[in-house]
Amino acid sequence: MTMPRIMFGGDYNPEQWPEEVWAEDMRLMTEAGVSLVSVGIFAWSRVEPRPGEYDFDWFDRVMDNLAEAGIGASLATMTASPPPWLSRRHPEVLPERADGTRLWPGARQHYCPSSPIYREYATRLVEQVATRYANHPALRLWHVGNEYGCHVRACYCDVSAADFRRWLQERYGDIETLNAAWSTTFWSQRYADWDEIMPPRTAPTFGNPAQELDFARFSDAAIRACYLAERDILRQITPHVPVTTNFIGLAHKPIDSFRWAAEQDVVSLDSYPDPFEPWAHVAAAFGYDLVRSARSGQPWLLMEQAPSAVNWRERNAPKPPGLMRLWSWQAVAQGADAVLFFQWRQSVGGAEKFHSAMVPHGGARTRTHQEIRALGRELAGAAELAGTRVRADVAVLHDWENWWALESDAHPATLDLLETHLVHYWPLFDAGLTCDVVPPTADLAGYRLVVVPNLYLMSAATADALRRYVSAGGHLVVSFFTGIVDEHDRVHPGGYPAPLRDVLGLRIDEFWPLPEGATVELDHAGRRWTGTVWSEWLDVEGAEVVATFAAGPATHPLAAELAGRPAVTRHRYGDGVAWYLATRPEPALMRELLDRAAAEAGVAPVLPGLPDHVQAVVRHGADRAYLFLLNHGAEAVTVPVPTPAVNLLGDRERPVTEVTLPPRGVAVLRTETAG
Ligand code: GAL
């Protein structure tokens, strides 16, 4: 699907307001250049006040007002928060935690994803909504549910238990296959019958990791089934209207965005970087690269962000002047075709009354609203960006199944996959390299450099894909604790990482993780550096040693015993090169190693010599390219531009050969290209 422009707007919840306010909403939205709003997300109890009794008249007026104002509706299926009557009538729809705690109504998302009753009432409502608004002129997009898996990541109730058994039977066919896959002879867990199997509820100690992994897969599938049931109705009634559902943050652990993306027409993301966090934009960038990659580079929608502060952290920072604009343009730079906010008008009651809004409590005269209007004007003037695409030479591999398995209990050390990703992504970002974030099943042939952080769970198919990639000339960087287990969390025997030993030219016999906060010294290029988190007993089998562990004042005494042994290696394999990191190098060394790997792979930064804290990204059109320059730093910088270009956010009459960006400044430079 293609947007006619970069869409601008937010969640619109008119049901919180008397109708007199709606006219002002339309006027202010028009003045601010709003073109798309998400409506009806939390409207279920208003449109169906009693089971089967519908009241859509008021909502018709909302939709009509939007159509009249020329504003599109990203129309919700209204199923995100069931009305009180549903759980009163059917208490069994309420979800349960692993310890048996029932989650009661009173907030939102209080339903068990496997509940046939929830699905029945939800799909019945979706049919009503879809039929009623199928041909409404305001309808542009379906917004199914809302942030699936946000509060209820999994449900452990009896209904879910039965659904889990059904799912397992479909996956394994017979109980002996399941026993083998789950290694159930360990701790006397062998099952004789499907009915003996439970969700991994709170147990005396570490649960069965294969059972937990399958439960994570099942929970994702159960939540996805809710989405699919609604999506299928929409596809049937309105095949002409695209469907999305909003993902969360840089990546949300319970929801496998890669699998979900394939079931949508366009992907959308809610992003809430913390303004107190100086590097929030780097983490956000990773999330934007991931969501864009989830549908192979197709433009995505920034479905929600905060105009200023959120209300759900311990301390909630406002966005100082210019930051909302900078972070909005960052999303566009990284491929977004919409910049939407939560929410249009700030609530006066309810749990989110202190969350900022496009129209704050103080009204239209507020700083935030004025900045919103200015952004609306700018985006309206940049319609030509819609549909253009970002291209990347570097891929970072991310896999949800690995995430679930890697972070399970009883491992050599506790590892946090998102943190690991950012440790690898950050130097690439700083080096001005554009990255995709792709699943192991992606076609890697188009990338010059592939970075694989902690891909602990590795199927034989993934190992083969990586082998083929390197052998055909690709450059691969692999970090420790990769290629350790198969899809059932069973170790690949024969020296770690058995499936990749030939590609990496090495063998690891033992993991030597470092104590919390400890470091190990490293020798590289005649200098001393440090590593953290991990070390290991590694023997090269053909690989060249690039850095070694060293003893020194900063080295933890146990790790000192590894002095002289390999810490970073590089191996030529086929026509390509495979690097291995047996520790987490300090940021400067990580940057140096990745710079070398990128240079050898022939990857060039978007702009050479980019000043610190300036992000540069290009979106490509048919015969034009748009260079985005974003100054995330606190100092003004001047950036030379390779060919004279028009700044879409500056004086369009005068092409420039350099731009000066104040702190939080942005430029979008258009150049004509051969295509
Ligand atoms: C999102 C959610 C919105 C609102 C917002 C506040 O997670 O989709 O409904 O709660 O957060 O930041």
Side-chain angles (χ1 to χ4, degrees):
M1 72 166 298
T2 326
M3 290 293 172
R5 43 165 291 176
I6 305 294
M7 306 305 271
F8 177 65
D11 279 21
Y12 179 38
N13 299 307
E15 63 273 21
Q16 296 177 14
W17 298 92
E19 293 205 20
E20 301 85 80
V21 177
W22 300 1
E24 192 196 39
D25 286 335
M26 291 306 106
R27 179 174 62 77
L28 291 179
M29 281 187 195
T30 308
E31 287 173 11
V34 166
S35 51
L36 185 70
V37 292
S38 305
V39 272
I41 297 176
F42 299 109
W44 192 346
S45 66
R46 279 288 303 266
V47 300
E48 192 180 1
R50 274 166 289 278
E53 191 183 310
Y54 298 101
D55 174 11
F56 281 111
D57 292 353
W58 68 276
F59 201 78
D60 292 349
R61 293 195 289 284
V62 171
M63 290 291 283
D64 294 349
N65 287 346
L66 292 173
E68 204 175 308
I71 297 168
S74 164
L75 179 52
T77 54
M78 309 191 179
T79 56
S81 190
W85 54 255
L86 182 64
S87 43
R88 179 150 182 268
R89 238 188 185 199
H90 304 285
E92 66 275 29
V93 301
L94 294 171
E96 260 176 39
R97 290 201 177 124
D99 65 357
T101 309
R102 178 139 279 197
L103 300 174
W104 295 94
R108 59 178 177 183
Q109 214 173 76
H110 44 282
Y111 60 85
C112 156
S114 291
S115 164
I117 296 171
Y118 168 74
R119 288 194 200 164
E120 185 190 319
Y121 280 95
T123 49
R124 198 173 72 171
L125 176 61
V126 176
E127 255 175 54
Q128 292 283 327
V129 177
T131 312
R132 191 167 186 104
Y133 299 107
N135 297 309
H136 196 283
L139 178 62
R140 294 273 186 291
L141 177 68
W142 286 115
H143 178 111
V144 181
N146 190 61
E147 291 194 340
Y148 277 103
C150 174
H151 309 298
V152 178
R153 299 164 162 230
C155 172
Y156 297 76
C157 77
D158 290 342
V159 174
S160 294
D163 198 25
F164 183 39
R165 289 181 203 116
R166 182 205 48 77
W167 184 89
L168 290 168
Q169 285 189 34
E170 227 167 73
R171 184 174 173 86
Y172 294 108
D174 65 272
I175 199 83
E176 279 318 317
T177 311
L178 174 136
N179 276 316
W182 283 15
S183 310
T184 56
T185 45
F186 182 80
W187 280 357
S188 181
Q189 293 173 354
R190 279 183 63 80
Y191 296 103
D193 192 279
W194 296 100
D195 287 341
E196 296 165 1
I197 301 174
M198 300 294 277
R201 290 180 180 163
T202 307
T205 183
F206 304 129
N208 180 320
Q211 177 187 7
E212 286 170 353
L213 174 59
D214 268 345
F215 190 67
R217 289 181 174 120
F218 155 77
S219 300
D220 177 47
I223 300 173
R224 194 164 60 245
C226 294
Y227 163 77
L228 290 173
E230 298 192 14
R231 196 266 332 247
D232 290 350
I233 294 171
L234 300 172
R235 287 249 165 107
Q236 209 186 342
I237 301 177
T238 56
H240 57 290
V241 181
V243 179
T244 192
T245 184
N246 44 344
F247 293 139
I248 306 174
L250 15 165
H252 188 49
K253 192 171 169 187
I255 299 294
D256 182 342
S257 306
F258 292 138
R259 293 192 74 152
W260 284 63
E263 308 287 357
Q264 300 175 49
D265 299 304
V266 57
V267 279
S268 54
L269 183 74
D270 298 350
S271 175
Y272 291 94
D274 184 354
F276 276 146
E277 173 55 66
W279 305 109
H281 62 283
V282 182
F286 177 85
Y288 301 161
D289 285 343
L290 190 158
V291 77
R292 186 189 64 245
S293 308
R295 282 187 61 82
S296 309
Q298 179 192 322
W300 54 281
L301 313 176
L302 178 59
M303 189 58 89
E304 290 180 24
Q305 61 168 338
S308 186
V310 299
N311 70 315
W312 40 261
R313 294 193 172 100
E314 295 277 311
R315 299 287 163 100
N316 298 294
K319 290 182 178 169
L323 189 62
M324 183 266 289
R325 172 180 182 253
L326 173 68
W327 285 358
S328 299
W329 278 110
Q330 180 187 352
V332 177
Q334 294 188 244
D337 269 7
V339 174
L340 310 186
F341 294 85
F342 178 85
Q343 63 176 329
W344 166 251
R345 190 181 276 279
Q346 191 167 14
S347 308
V348 290
E352 296 189 318
K353 56 186 172 297
F354 294 115
H355 193 290
S356 61
M358 299 166 82
V359 182
H361 290 151
R365 46 155 285 284
T366 50
R367 170 183 77 83
T368 296
H369 186 71
Q370 293 306 314
E371 288 190 36
I372 286 282
R373 283 181 176 223
L375 177 66
R377 273 194 299 276
E378 275 188 345
L379 291 169
E384 62 191 277
L385 295 170
T388 59
R389 287 185 174 233
V390 175
R391 293 178 197 155
D393 286 335
V394 182
V396 176
L397 244 55
H398 171 68
D399 178 42
W400 258 267
E401 301 207 344
N402 170 59
W403 195 356
W404 299 327
L406 176 79
E407 293 183 1
S408 70
D409 299 317
H411 280 183
T414 303
L415 297 171
D416 174 330
L417 185 63
L418 282 187
E419 184 192 313
T420 305
H421 278 325
L422 292 180
V423 163
H424 292 77
Y425 179 83
W426 196 333
L428 298 165
F429 180 92
D430 276 353
L433 306 181
T434 306
C435 297
D436 283 346
V437 179
V438 302
T441 47
D443 179 7
L444 301 178
Y447 298 106
R448 291 171 184 271
L449 178 65
V450 173
V451 179
V452 182
N454 292 173
L455 193 67
Y456 159 77
L457 183 154
M458 185 178 287
S459 65
T462 297
D464 283 348
L466 294 175
R467 179 174 298 104
R468 277 197 307 275
Y469 169 73
V470 179
S471 149
H475 291 243
L476 182 71
V477 177
V478 172
S479 66
F480 61 83
F481 214 43
T482 287
I484 307 300
V485 297
D486 68 9
E487 51 273 64
H488 304 302
D489 202 42
R490 288 175 64 85
V491 169
H492 295 290
Y496 313 116
L500 282 187
R501 275 181 43 212
D502 55 341
V503 181
L504 298 169
L506 52 79
R507 165 197 183 103
I508 293 135
D509 282 345
E510 231 177 1
F511 307 125
W512 287 40
L514 297 165
E516 183 79 44
T519 55
V520 58
E521 285 190 40
L522 305 169
D523 251 336
H524 167 65
R527 283 180 55 196
R528 281 298 173 98
W529 312 74
T530 54
T532 55
V533 181
W534 197 269
S535 59
E536 53 196 9
W537 193 283
L538 182 160
D539 287 297
V540 287
E541 291 176 339
E544 151 206 356
V545 178
V546 175
T548 52
F549 292 111
T555 300
H556 181 265
L558 192 57
E561 314 235 0
L562 293 176
R565 304 195 66 86
V568 177
T569 64
R570 179 179 174 280
H571 186 227
R572 290 195 161 280
Y573 181 82
D575 294 334
V577 174
W579 292 75
Y580 183 75
L581 313 177
T583 183
R584 178 179 292 173
E586 64 175 286
L589 178 56
M590 189 69 118
R591 171 73 192 268
E592 186 158 312
L593 295 169
L594 286 171
D595 275 357
R596 182 172 158 204
E600 287 181 9
V603 183
V606 173
L607 268 190
L610 206 58
D612 285 350
H613 313 305
V614 175
Q615 182 184 4
V617 190
V618 178
R619 284 184 70 158
H620 298 267
D623 46 15
R624 286 169 165 183
Y626 301 88
L627 168 64
F628 291 73
L629 296 172
L630 303 126
N631 184 4
H632 295 284
E635 307 288 330
V637 288
T638 297
V639 184
V641 180
T643 41
V646 170
N647 184 359
L648 297 190
L649 308 184
D651 176 359
R652 294 196 182 192
E653 302 303 313
R654 253 181 265 267
V656 293
T657 50
E658 61 170 34
V659 273
T660 298
L661 300 170
R664 305 193 186 115
V666 183
V668 182
L669 299 159
R670 178 177 66 203
T671 48
E672 313 295 323
T673 61

